[in-house]
Amino acid sequence: MDTMTLWHLTGWEFAALAFAAFLVGFSKTAVSGANTVSLAIFAAVLPARASTGILLPVLIAGDILAVLTYRRHAHWPTLWRLFPAVGVGVVAGTVFLVWANDAVVRTSIGAILLLMAGVTVWRRRQADAVTGRREGRPAERRNGQPDGITSRRGRVKARSYGVLGGFTTMVANAGGPVMSMYLLSAGFKKLGFLGTSAFFFLIVNVSKLPFSAGLGLIDGRSLLLDAALVVFVVPGAFIGKWAVDRINQRLFERLVIAATVIGGLQLLLP
């Protein structure tokens, strides 16, 4: 098995993973993007393949808290449009993990992190052009759909983002920036964004459990480590909920991008 146990870690290594788990909770209820820092920390402390399996239940815990917080703001037509394409991406990512060894996965995670950092920069610039930044559901047309989703171009965009998001979330648990970029480009406002992404990642991450278990990335020993780390997700989620209307998002995203680039480069270096 490729999993790790709690007893393999030093005190500093566990502290780093605990901080990463805290960031998972914070990102799920406040600023999407901190997950990339958590991914880099997990991949640096643990073997790359093992890190994807151990991080997954931690992410699911954060997803549950996010759903409980923002469940009334989800936009289900968008979710149903994305899921088939995401399923294709998840299957492709699973095939890749069957073929790839730890070195390939480590390099792939590093490259994905750098790609996601670039995506986040582009997403932030696009967000500045999005109007109607008030809390609530996405800007809607007469048929009740978010702007930019019902057209043929919107459907093609949803499928493209869905496949890429499914692949990146399966290989590296790094689908957050991809989906964030899609939701922002579709015109989602803050609470609609958080509610829709909360349900999206809860459903997708739960669906990944049998794939990860089948690849040997999750077992009883890894779940024991997850149980110790989930404790730190809860305060992160509560602080994120408190900070969502107070945080200077531009400064925070700059710090997230910088940390992501550093983590990605560290994984790419021999």
Side-chain angles (χ1 to χ4, degrees), residues 176-256:
V178 177
M179 288 298 103
S180 294
M181 186 172 65
Y182 172 71
L183 294 176
L184 285 175
S185 68
F188 278 78
K189 303 173 187 177
K190 184 186 291 183
L191 291 183
F193 174 97
L194 290 170
T196 304
S197 61
F199 273 101
F200 174 84
F201 283 110
L202 176 61
I203 294 170
V204 170
N205 284 334
V206 169
S207 72
K208 286 159 51 181
L209 285 173
F211 294 96
S212 294
L215 291 169
L217 302 176
I218 296 177
D219 63 7
R221 297 175 301 169
S222 69
L223 290 175
L224 179 62
L225 175 55
D226 285 318
L229 293 175
V230 164
V231 175
F232 299 94
V233 177
V234 178
F238 278 106
I239 292 176
K241 179 63 173 66
W242 172 83
V244 68
D245 292 322
R246 299 173 174 85
I247 191 170
N248 184 326
Q249 184 160 325
R250 184 173 295 274
L251 173 61
F252 182 80
E253 287 196 2
R254 287 175 179 171
L255 295 174
V256 168

